[in-house]
Amino acid sequence: MPNEKTYYSLEAGGNLICHKCGIRLVKGNAVFEYLENAFPVELPVCPQCGFVYVPEELAMGRVLSVEKVLEDK
Amino acid sequence: MTDHFKERSTRDYHQKQLFAKEELEKRESLCTHEDPPFCNAACPLKLDVKAMLAAVSEGDFAKGRSLLEYITPFPEILAYGCEGPCRRTCRRSEIEESVNIPAIERAVMRHSDVPKARGLLKMRKKQKLAVFGSELFTVAVAADMANKKYPVTLYTEAENEMDLFRRCADLDDEILERQLPLLKKAELKICFGTPLDREFLEKEEAEYDLVCGASYLKEEEVDPVTLCDSRNRIFPHAEKRYSHILQSLFDARRAAVSFERIVQRLDPHNNRPQEGETESHLFTNLNYIPSEDAVAENGLYSREEAIREAKRCIQCECVECFRGCAYLRAFKRYPRLLTREIYNNTGIIMGDHMMNKAMNSCSLCGQCTVTCPNGYDMAEICRAARENMVDTQKMSLAVHEFALLDMLFSNTEGYLAGKQPGYETCRYVYFPGCQANAIAPDTVFKTYEDLMQRQPGGVALMLGCCSVIARWAGRRELYQEQIAFLKEEMHKLGDPIIIAGCPTCRSTLQEHFPEVIGLWDVLKEIGLPEGSGKLQQEVMIHDACGARNDPDTQNSIREIVSRLGAEIKEGNWSKEKSACCGYGGLVSYVNKEVASEMAEECVREDPQATYITYCMACRDRLKRQGSNAVHFSELVYGTAADDAPGLSQKRRNRKMLKEKLLKEVWKEEIMQEKPEFTYELSEEVRQKMEDRMILESDLLETLQAYRDNQMAVYNETDDTLTTRHRIGNVSFWVRFREENDHYTVISVYSHRMTVRTR
Ligand code: SF4
Ligand code: SF4
Ligand code: SF4
Ligand SMILES: [Zn+2]
């Protein structure tokens, strides 16, 4: 994740809606944090309540592997 | 208690030495894996005999030759003149005749060609060397130094090369002739027909930087190690330990080392490699070596005969600890090296800790301490290293958090303590252990019923974890807290004698409580209950690592199993040598592959056999691996444990057991809360949760949070909702479809990172 800002690309047209606010999620600035390391990323975010969506492939893929690397630091 | 679960920062730097240097060295020195094989130790020239024999056994005579040429310029002479001190120490000699190493050397020289060119182009050296004399020592020094690219002039009384060689060694011309090409190859200036005496030497030596002479030109006795006289000229020492040929070639080799030091302007005593006969503490296990008759040498071995004889070499190395330990095999390092790497790992302040996984994959089972001829204790090193990493805040919480939370579950939600109804004081308390409660609740229930009935003096009950989980994780403080909790609880029960259902609980609790016995001790005493299972078959016993140093327990189990009617087949890896099932040391949480191999290892001797265990974790791990394993108490009480229950099932079992006991023994009414909603999980989702170590309780909490806050993302494409909820250090995500109060779960995943907008 370091040195890479975007590692999840929103599908064109966006098919995700915030269940609570009823608003379409947009590409927004988010940040992952772990063991006091921060990684800025772009993820689908609700413009109203700020809910950030982390898709499964991302969580079980890059997020997991970066976690593992940091855990051995 | 929660601050044990505060994530660390990778930006705080702490350090603490794992062991003092002396202690590290003392521990490491127990592993003699790196010691040389006995043949090599005995060879004054330090021939790598083992490698040579390995090469020959594969038909690679050229490699054998290069190893010989590496130690001496005249291997042909050596092969015919060496008396073979290696043969005296060769381990094969303890089975029958030792490997005929000199004969193989002769065959190597005969069945291989003089190599065309040396692989490495060496730089010509500046220092000029004069060698005076016509004996094997001087000629070998001259040839060796010439091979090392020094300009060498050899002064000899001999008339020609053959004459020179005849003065060197009392061998047949035919052998000496074969050595001639090597002399020619050495690019050496030879002044034949020179009458030699001390005067001549004194006159000539002024022209040279380095000087070497035969014994009859020596003015004073030389240093016995460096062979240097007071002016750093080299002559042979008077003391002889070997035959003429071996001694001369050995001396020549030492002379070459001295010259190199002198050229480097160092004291020739400095920095010398191992020379001469050395000691070895290598251990070679001869139990597995079949006897193999020596191949007779009639004149000279043919290629095939040499190969056959070389194959008799055992290729001595110590692998005793490897044999039974899947962990060491997986990490491919013998304990000495492993210890050093783990030690270095704890010393890294910033950067990657490459050995974390290694130190966390040892089951701390103590088998190596038994199998190693020197008693190497890898477990203690790995455990101390874990504690060190925890103390310096370098151990990731992620590694053991799941297991630690499971321990806390056992001692909170799953915890239960009570006196036997009708008893004000109980002489005993039954402590089945967290794994028995999780895997075999019915058996635990039956056992307790039986103990209440038949064990006099009243038997209280305590469902909980003995805290070993915290110790295995290297979490000292948490361990002490849990032990303190257990002490307080035991005190409330009147400090009864503990009847442990698990050997690891027993050995752990024994350190903190005055009297701890095993369930097996009690059953041996009071006998088996009526209607206990009958087992008319042959079985093997899988001994628990928790009882490794406890022959009484091992024997009690055997007696009980015999009383059950079974015939015990004793394996080679039983009792104190038993392998760990992979539960010990929390390996199964950290390294699933190694844990599986460990379970596999336990049944390797006979994968089809029925294995009787006396630790419920062993029973579970072996069963999971597909073996036929059964806990002795299942047989005693005729109740079956769950077959390979999942993580959530293990928790449910503990709660169910607690509720059943409360209801049936202590007659407490359990208020069953009616769940607000229902849910369904496919087998696929369940498996995913198991692999990702996500509990059903996490899932339920996440769904409940969604019902409260409605936070979720709706996906138009597949008509699903995905919600997120953070519990402790983990964010859980659940993808589902919702219908009134019913949830169909499509997927569950998690991560430890936090995420927010910026
Ligand atoms: S058994 Fe293992 S620890 Fe012991 S000396 Fe041999 S290689 Fe080293
Ligand atoms: S068996 Fe082979 S390695 Fe062992 S001592 Fe003999 S020659 Fe050396
Ligand atoms: S798993 Fe057991 S036998 Fe293997 S190194 Fe660790 S303590 Fe020794
Ligand atoms: Zn919203």
Side-chain angles (χ1 to χ4, degrees), chain B residues 435 439 503-504 542-546 578-583 599 602 612-624 629-631:
Chain B
Q435 293 307 300
I439 295 159
T504 297
H542 170 69
D543 287 284
C545 61
S578 183
C580 172
C581 65
Y583 187 76
C602 296
I612 311 288
T613 75
Y614 45 104
C615 165
M616 208 49 94
C618 298
R619 191 267 189 210
D620 186 50
R621 300 259 341 136
L622 297 196
K623 195 86 193 183
R624 223 169 266 278
V630 51
H631 192 273

Side-chain angles (χ1 to χ4, degrees), chain B residues 321 325 327-328 361-369 378-379 548 580 598:
Chain B
C321 53
C325 175
Y327 158 63
L328 291 172
S361 298
C362 167
S363 69
L364 310 180
C365 73
Q367 184 200 38
C368 52
T369 313
M378 201 60 225
R548 186 173 308 286
C580 172
M598 285 177 171

Side-chain angles (χ1 to χ4, degrees), chain B residues 191-367:
Chain B
C191 301
F192 291 108
T194 316
L196 294 178
D197 55 20
R198 276 190 205 144
E199 223 173 292
F200 178 79
L201 188 147
E202 298 281 336
K203 197 167 94 286
E204 288 297 311
E205 70 175 330
E207 306 284 316
Y208 296 92
D209 305 293
L210 306 163
V211 173
C212 172
S215 42
Y216 58 91
L217 299 171
K218 178 162 67 170
E219 276 168 46
E220 47 174 312
E221 191 49 286
V222 295
D223 183 280
V225 174
T226 65
L227 308 182
C228 291
D229 72 3
S230 52
R231 289 157 58 194
N232 272 356
R233 302 179 305 178
I234 293 181
F235 299 94
H237 193 269
E239 193 208 349
K240 308 283 177 221
R241 306 191 52 190
Y242 305 103
S243 66
H244 168 66
I245 287 178
L246 183 56
Q247 183 74 45
S248 301
L249 295 176
F250 172 41
D251 286 348
R253 195 173 156 80
R254 290 194 286 168
V257 173
S258 293
F259 277 136
E260 299 257 324
R261 296 295 167 276
I262 293 168
V263 166
Q264 296 161 352
R265 301 188 184 288
L266 293 172
D267 181 331
H269 280 283
N270 268 0
N271 204 13
R272 301 185 74 90
Q274 286 217 313
E275 291 171 326
E277 216 164 304
T278 50
E279 231 189 310
S280 173
H281 296 103
L282 186 68
F283 179 84
T284 309
N285 191 334
L286 300 175
N287 293 339
Y288 302 87
I289 312 297
S291 160
E292 192 77 58
D293 282 340
V295 180
E297 188 195 25
N298 298 316
L300 179 81
Y301 280 155
S302 65
R303 282 184 74 93
E304 288 60 40
E305 285 169 331
I307 291 173
R308 244 193 315 134
E309 181 64 7
K311 282 190 172 147
R312 291 178 66 238
C313 168
I314 295 161
Q315 291 289 308
C316 290
E317 68 168 340
C318 182
V319 288
E320 293 315 287
C321 53
F322 271 62
R323 284 184 212 279
C325 175
Y327 158 63
L328 291 172
R329 290 202 300 267
F331 283 86
K332 298 190 176 66
R333 288 166 177 84
Y334 48 92
R336 186 190 181 98
L337 186 61
L338 192 58
T339 300
R340 182 52 66 112
E341 290 189 16
I342 287 175
Y343 177 86
N344 291 342
N345 190 82
T346 60
I348 297 169
I349 304 181
M350 263 161 111
D352 296 326
H353 294 85
M354 308 294 285
M355 295 305 280
N356 280 2
K357 189 145 190 180
M359 72 169 75
N360 287 324
S361 298
C362 167
S363 69
L364 310 180
C365 73
Q367 184 200 38

